[in-house]
């Protein structure tokens, strides 16, 4: 593996953070590039601590991993500085000079808009910030004195790393069903979330990608408004152990059983080469903490086999618990 793109297959919250943290430690990763913005929270459990990161790339768990935020991203300065302090990555994180800035006013506009409220946005201001960028009046990272020590050219660094055979991860946010282009419009986020868009935001061309790892949770969740096929009641979700609350906003997540049609669509649009199946232990509790395929119960194995058959690509990683290393790694 040289360059991997990691993308979400449903409505976000598939467990990308956990998979990234595992690969960061296991490979280990030399570079991890975050795309997207502060609306997304990637949850990582590491050494007994829980991190819900909106800005710092998930690869931070490996202490030698270079951390970058791509030109297509939107940076919340306060959030960035707080997370840099929390994760103690000051000496190994940089932002592309051309990343744009989310300001307080964008969040205020997001929260004040009845239209955006109706879509159930996170209220973090990402939509209004992107509007401003499209209007070409947005501030960029290079305009902000506090960010001066962190500026770099992400595209140049990452392409150079790929040419040298370093291990690089391009970290996507949300999932394909929240894509501005391919999702459940208008109940979507303000940008494309596909693997191609992740490459674009990082400044890496499609010929440089070796692997597109699609993260699918063993059941489906979404927060905010919009359609969710097969949606369960909150009571039923609680009964099944699938009830979750959002890492970023604390809102209830709606849930539904695994959806093969949506998964297939996600595989196609992302050009996925491998699947990471997360939270298998929430659907088959006997999987909890398993680290070999043999330990999984028969019905869980059948589920994995059916996914591989219908998607036509391997389920390479299986999540069996919250900690970074609770994974069945079938990559051989
Ligand atoms: P916005 O991205 O804050 O504008 O919100 C638009 C829609 O995307 C809403 O339904 C949000 O709940 C959803 N959304 C945005 N970011 C995330 C995420 O990281 N996880 C899950 N849903 C998200
Ligand atoms: Mg999340």
């Amino acid at each position: 593996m040289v360059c991997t793109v990691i993308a979400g297959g449903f409505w976000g919250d598939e467990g990308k953070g956990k998979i990234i943290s595992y690969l960061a430690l296991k490979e280990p990763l030399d570079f991890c590039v975050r795309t997207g913005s502060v609306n997304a929270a990637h949850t990582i459990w590491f050494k007994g601590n829980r991190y819900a990161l909106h800005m710092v790339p998930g690869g931070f768990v490996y202490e030698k991993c270079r951390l970058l935020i791509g030109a297509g991203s939107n940076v919340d300065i306060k959030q960035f500085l707080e997370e840099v302090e929390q994760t103690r990555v000051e000496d190994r994180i940089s932002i592309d000079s051309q990343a744009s800035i989310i300001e307080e006013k964008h969040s205020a506009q997001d929260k004040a808009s009845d239209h955006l409220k109706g879509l159930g946005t996170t209220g973090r201001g990402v939509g209004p910030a992107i509007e401003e960028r499209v209007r070409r009046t947005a501030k960029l990272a290079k305009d902000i004195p506090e960010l001066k020590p962190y500026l770099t050219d992400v595209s140049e660094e990452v392409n150079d790393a790929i040419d040298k055979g370093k291990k690089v991860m391009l970290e996507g946010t949300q999932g394909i069903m929240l894509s501005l282009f391919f999702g459940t419009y208008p109940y979507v986020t303000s940008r494309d979330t596909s693997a191609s868009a992740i490459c674009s935001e990082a400044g890496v061309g499609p010929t440089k990608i070796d692997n597109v790892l699609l993260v699918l949770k063993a059941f489906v969740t979404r927060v905010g408004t919009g359609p969710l096929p097969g949606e369960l009641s909150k009571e039923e979700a609680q009964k099944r152990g699938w009830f979750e609350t959002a890492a970023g906003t604390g809102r209830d997540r709606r849930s539904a059983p695994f959806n093969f049609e949506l998964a297939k669509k996600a595989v196609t649009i992302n050009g996925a080469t491998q699947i990471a199946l997360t939270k298998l232990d929430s659907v088959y509790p006997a999987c909890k903490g398993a680290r070999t395929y043999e330990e999984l119960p028969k019905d869980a194995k059948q589920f994995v086999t059916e996914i591989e058959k219908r998607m036509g690509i391997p389920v390479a990683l299986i999540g069996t618990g919250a900690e970074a290393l609770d994974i069945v790694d079938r990559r051989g």
Side-chain angles (χ1 to χ4, degrees):
M1 167 192 137
V2 178
C3 188
T4 294
V5 179
I6 188 159
F10 294 133
W11 278 273
D13 308 313
E14 298 92 357
K16 290 177 291 296
K18 186 247 165 61
I19 298 296
I20 295 160
S21 61
Y22 172 77
L23 291 172
L25 295 167
K26 193 72 185 179
E27 290 292 318
L29 288 180
D30 298 304
F31 284 76
C32 188
V33 187
R34 176 129 180 184
T35 60
S37 194
V38 78
N39 45 0
H42 287 176
T43 303
I44 291 171
W45 282 92
F46 183 57
K47 294 186 175 164
N49 294 315
R50 179 178 178 276
Y51 299 85
L53 299 175
H54 296 260
M55 286 270 101
V56 166
F60 91 90
V61 296
Y62 174 55
E63 72 280 3
K64 289 185 183 145
C65 185
R66 172 92 172 116
L67 307 172
L68 299 170
I69 298 181
S73 307
N74 290 273
V75 176
D76 178 319
I77 303 165
K78 186 166 164 272
Q79 183 82 31
F80 170 78
L81 294 171
E82 277 170 17
E83 288 185 11
V84 165
E85 198 181 309
Q86 186 201 7
T87 54
R88 302 196 184 118
V89 295
E90 195 179 343
D91 53 350
R92 59 186 172 107
I93 191 164
S94 294
I95 301 172
D96 195 281
S97 308
Q98 298 230 92
S100 60
I101 302 296
I102 295 200
E103 300 173 63
E104 278 299 321
K105 67 173 182 191
H106 297 130
S107 172
Q109 286 161 5
D110 197 345
K111 289 177 186 149
S113 159
D114 286 339
H115 171 64
L116 293 176
K117 224 181 287 167
L119 302 181
T121 70
T122 61
R124 298 301 294 248
V126 180
I130 291 181
E131 274 181 48
E132 201 175 353
R133 190 171 196 174
V134 173
R135 221 182 294 132
R136 281 143 291 175
T137 51
K139 287 184 184 145
L140 300 183
K142 64 184 174 195
D143 303 323
I144 310 295
E146 283 164 283
L147 296 183
K148 279 270 157 5
Y150 298 101
L151 299 183
T152 193
D153 182 330
V154 168
S155 174
E156 190 177 296
E157 272 201 49
V158 173
N159 281 286
D160 184 52
I162 293 171
D163 290 344
K164 289 184 172 134
K166 304 270 188 206
K167 290 189 174 175
V168 175
M169 165 81 70
L170 307 183
E171 173 175 351
T173 56
Q174 290 109 10
I176 196 72
M177 297 311 296
L178 284 172
S179 163
L180 182 63
F181 301 158
F182 306 108
T184 50
Y185 190 92
Y187 302 102
V188 294
T189 190
S190 44
R191 46 185 274 285
D192 182 21
T193 54
S194 69
S196 313
I198 297 164
C199 296
S200 165
E201 288 190 15
V204 176
T207 53
K208 298 290 174 75
I209 306 305
D210 304 290
N211 188 18
V212 176
L213 181 60
L214 184 72
V215 185
L216 297 171
K217 190 154 64 180
F219 54 100
V220 181
T221 58
R222 96 172 281 179
V223 277
T225 328
L228 176 60
E231 182 167 2
L232 303 173
S233 66
K234 183 172 170 178
E235 293 68 39
E236 180 60 23
Q238 282 166 329
K239 210 169 90 194
R240 295 188 189 198
W242 298 358
F243 178 72
E244 301 177 343
T245 52
T249 57
R251 292 181 290 176
D252 288 2
R253 288 184 185 155
R254 300 153 62 198
S255 67
F258 189 87
N259 187 317
F260 285 92
E261 282 87 57
L262 291 182
K264 184 67 188 174
K265 185 174 167 184
V267 167
T268 303
I269 297 172
N270 286 289
T273 55
Q274 291 184 327
I275 290 166
L277 182 65
T278 57
K279 291 204 141 185
L280 193 60
D281 56 300
S282 294
V283 178
Y284 304 98
C287 295
K288 187 141 198 80
R291 298 200 178 177
T292 64
Y293 194 65
E294 291 64 45
E295 288 171 68
L296 303 184
K298 196 164 160 232
D299 47 2
K301 284 185 188 152
Q302 275 167 354
F303 181 50
V304 171
T305 306
E306 191 183 355
I307 291 174
E308 291 189 322
K309 202 170 111 210
R310 291 175 66 170
M311 300 304 130
I313 54 172
V315 174
L317 300 171
I318 298 171
T320 57
E323 274 282 336
L325 296 174
D326 285 338
I327 288 268
V328 173
D329 190 339
R330 303 172 74 216
R331 295 175 302 160

